[in-house]
Amino acid sequence: MRRHVIIGRFGPGDRSRIPLGDGEIATRLDLIAGERSFDHGIGHALADLARLGVQPSEIGIDVLVLAAHVHAADTRVSRVSESQDGWTREIRLVVPVSDPARWASVAQIFVRMLNFLTGDRWTISFRARPRRFVRSARARTMSLIAPPFDDLALFSGGLDSLIGAIDALEAGRTPLLISHAGEGATSDAQSTIFEALKSHYRHRAFDRLRLWMAFPDGFVTGSDGENTTRGRSFLFFALGVFAGSGLDRPFTLKVPENGLIAVNVPLDPLRLGALSTRTTHPFYIARWNDAIRGLGLDGYIENPYWDRTKGEMVASCGNGVLLRRLVPSSLSCASPTKGRWQGLGTQHCGYCLPCLIRRAALVTGLASDTDPTVYTIDDLTSRVLDTRQSEGVQIRSFQLAIERLRAKPQLGPILIHKPGPLFDETPERQAAIAAVYRRGLEEVGTLIDGVRTRPG
């Protein structure tokens, strides 16, 4: 195992000496392009917000700078070659910020958050930006017209984020939608849905902030790339906080995610680590709120759908007609391009975990309407699915989890703590989380109860 340190630098003149520990391999992260412009999409995000009348604070910029360090490490430090167990990496970040003392006070909150999110061992230290870059935010100007946004929401291009956007607009809100431009299929879904929403709500002033941030192969010294991207939601959340810091009012960043996925109880004991993501887990969101308070930002992150299944979200959407029209444009599949090996285009496979939850939700939520999504395996009941292949793995795991909970319903309140602690939640809310977990599994059960699988 090799330990990696990512050292952020503000331009070629930033030559502060950073001591390395035994066996550490250093990678320089240049944050400035040219004379003063931020690189890695941060400068473009600042310019895009300026055009919308939003001017992030220095701390807001720091949040996105920290996220750049996390994203570089998470996507370019290989779990296979750089860890002892094929998963857990040791990563140190040295981050230049506007107020090191303030950031030092929340460093352990971020360490705890990232350890939980990615399953790695993180160390974070903060140092002052070079004097030339002490002030990087645009000076706030007085304006007679404040930015119109009274809502911030993550917008991934998936079904949940589509429902979240529709619900906000139908409630009369003016959201600023937050997107990370990742691989092509996801970006295309985001753009298609956004343009459709702009057309439908053509007289509304909502808009979108979209960040492109990616690091080339070989960026981290001595390491191959990494494709697990467990830390991707850190970048997503950071972009929302960055934007929220520039609003002239307290901000709430909404994370539209159904309760089953938010808690993401592992379907079997072997999934607790590598196969159980925690991108919107309540513990993770609570740590973000701790950090936001510690940094002195006037904001909050919440998941307004924590107590609903995906099917319940579909059924209660504020504009069901519009949702039905846009469902085919939303993208839920974990690997929407894997069909290319069969000569297929970008589409839902129909059998990965997100696809199964989506299919079940649309069967439940659309009632008599047909799910208009195109799936690679359109009919799950037409043949026996092999659990030695990806087509049957998730279905069999769901079947076992559903059988276990049906046999012992009392396990629900215990199992919801498996992916992470819920001590921030009241007993009443924990009971509600257990209930949505049970309803979510039963919702999937309506889809797969008649599906035949052959154990491998």
Side-chain angles (χ1 to χ4, degrees):
M1 179 181 72
R2 291 181 287 192
R3 294 182 293 276
H4 287 267
V5 54
I6 309 296
I7 301 173
R9 297 291 188 181
F10 270 67
D14 182 359
R15 299 188 180 93
S16 299
R17 184 174 178 272
I18 307 297
L20 299 181
D22 290 342
E24 278 192 326
I25 299 174
T27 294
R28 178 186 177 109
L29 172 56
D30 285 305
L31 295 159
I32 301 298
E35 287 296 313
R36 291 192 62 88
S37 298
F38 278 97
D39 203 354
H40 308 296
I42 299 173
H44 289 296
L46 281 165
D48 290 344
L49 282 182
R51 284 192 287 271
L52 298 174
V54 179
Q55 298 166 317
S57 69
E58 296 291 350
I59 294 294
I61 293 173
D62 289 341
V63 171
L64 199 51
V65 166
L66 170 59
H69 289 70
V70 172
H71 196 60
D74 186 52
T75 59
R76 288 296 170 257
V77 177
S78 169
R79 294 188 186 275
V80 173
S81 64
E82 308 304 300
S83 66
Q84 288 182 335
D85 59 2
W87 185 260
T88 308
R89 304 164 295 186
E90 290 192 13
I91 299 169
R92 182 163 71 98
L93 309 178
V94 182
V95 187
V97 292
S98 61
D99 187 344
R102 189 188 303 190
W103 276 95
S105 71
V106 297
Q108 287 310 304
I109 297 174
F110 280 104
V111 166
R112 193 179 187 195
M113 177 198 305
L114 287 167
N115 287 350
F116 175 78
L117 178 65
T118 71
D120 300 301
R121 295 171 184 164
W122 295 80
T123 304
I124 307 176
S125 61
F126 299 97
R127 65 181 184 92
R129 299 175 188 166
R131 186 176 303 172
R132 182 179 173 216
F133 293 96
V134 167
R135 303 289 303 175
S136 294
R138 292 171 181 251
R140 295 201 173 215
T141 57
M142 295 299 293
S143 175
L144 296 177
I145 303 176
F149 311 111
D150 56 11
D151 222 18
L152 286 163
L154 301 190
F155 186 70
S156 66
L159 185 59
D160 287 10
S161 70
L162 168 59
I163 292 170
I166 292 174
D167 284 351
L169 290 162
E170 289 293 322
R173 309 288 289 177
T174 304
L176 177 59
L177 304 176
I178 306 297
S179 296
H180 172 236
E183 52 92 17
T186 301
S187 295
D188 290 347
Q190 292 170 1
S191 297
T192 299
I193 293 171
F194 178 71
E195 292 305 322
L197 291 173
K198 289 295 287 184
S199 176
H200 186 83
Y201 299 98
R202 61 177 59 90
H203 301 301
R204 304 285 291 281
F206 73 98
D207 219 309
R208 178 170 65 136
L209 173 65
R210 189 164 178 255
L211 173 72
W212 172 263
M213 183 182 290
F215 296 90
D217 292 339
F219 174 79
V220 168
T221 306
S223 174
D224 297 329
E226 177 58 40
N227 60 11
T228 55
T229 61
R230 284 297 188 265
R232 183 174 179 270
S233 77
F234 188 91
L235 177 61
F236 217 175
F237 281 46
L239 182 61
V241 173
F242 160 78
S245 75
L247 298 181
D248 296 326
R249 64 186 79 190
F251 69 88
T252 299
L253 173 61
K254 294 180 179 176
V255 181
E257 186 77 90
N258 68 86
L260 180 62
I261 284 292
V263 178
N264 202 14
V265 175
L267 297 178
D268 61 68
L270 295 178
R271 294 171 182 251
L272 189 55
L275 297 178
S276 183
T277 59
R278 295 158 168 170
T279 55
T280 55
H281 191 277
F283 178 85
Y284 173 63
I285 292 177
R287 300 292 73 75
W288 259 108
N289 285 324
D290 288 345
I292 288 170
R293 286 190 295 271
L295 289 169
L297 297 174
D298 194 0
Y300 187 76
I301 299 175
E302 69 172 15
N303 176 6
Y305 302 102
W306 67 271
D307 60 347
R308 294 188 225 174
T309 69
K310 201 180 193 82
E312 290 165 354
M313 288 179 66
V314 172
S316 63
C317 180
N319 189 329
V321 173
L322 178 62
L323 176 64
R324 284 163 172 76
R325 179 160 64 83
L326 296 183
V327 159
S329 299
S330 66
L331 188 62
S332 305
C333 186
S335 302
T337 60
K338 62 176 173 270
R340 67 183 183 275
W341 304 113
Q342 304 173 42
L344 303 173
T346 299
Q347 64 186 50
H348 290 80
C349 69
Y351 52 82
C352 68
L353 186 143
C355 274
L356 292 173
I357 294 175
R358 173 194 175 98
R359 295 180 78 155
L362 292 172
V363 168
T364 300
L366 295 182
S368 58
D369 290 352
T370 302
D371 178 1
T373 309
V374 174
Y375 299 105
T376 300
I377 296 184
D378 186 56
D379 185 357
L380 295 173
T381 63
S382 63
R383 58 187 173 86
V384 178
L385 300 179
D386 189 347
T387 60
R388 295 170 298 181
Q389 305 295 326
S390 57
E391 66 179 28
V393 170
Q394 305 291 356
I395 291 174
R396 184 57 183 160
S397 294
F398 262 120
Q399 289 173 335
L400 292 173
I402 292 166
E403 290 170 8
R404 177 175 54 174
L405 197 59
R406 284 173 179 170
K408 294 182 178 180
Q410 67 273 21
L411 287 178
I414 299 171
L415 293 173
I416 60 170
H417 295 274
K418 291 291 185 182
L422 292 169
F423 53 70
D424 298 289
E425 314 298 330
T426 64
E428 294 76 17
R429 184 153 163 151
Q430 289 185 33
I433 290 171
V436 77
Y437 166 60
R438 184 189 68 249
R439 296 198 310 274
L441 283 187
E442 287 296 340
E443 192 170 280
V444 176
T446 62
L447 174 74
I448 65 173
D449 273 347
V451 177
R452 297 165 297 156
T453 56
R454 179 175 59 248

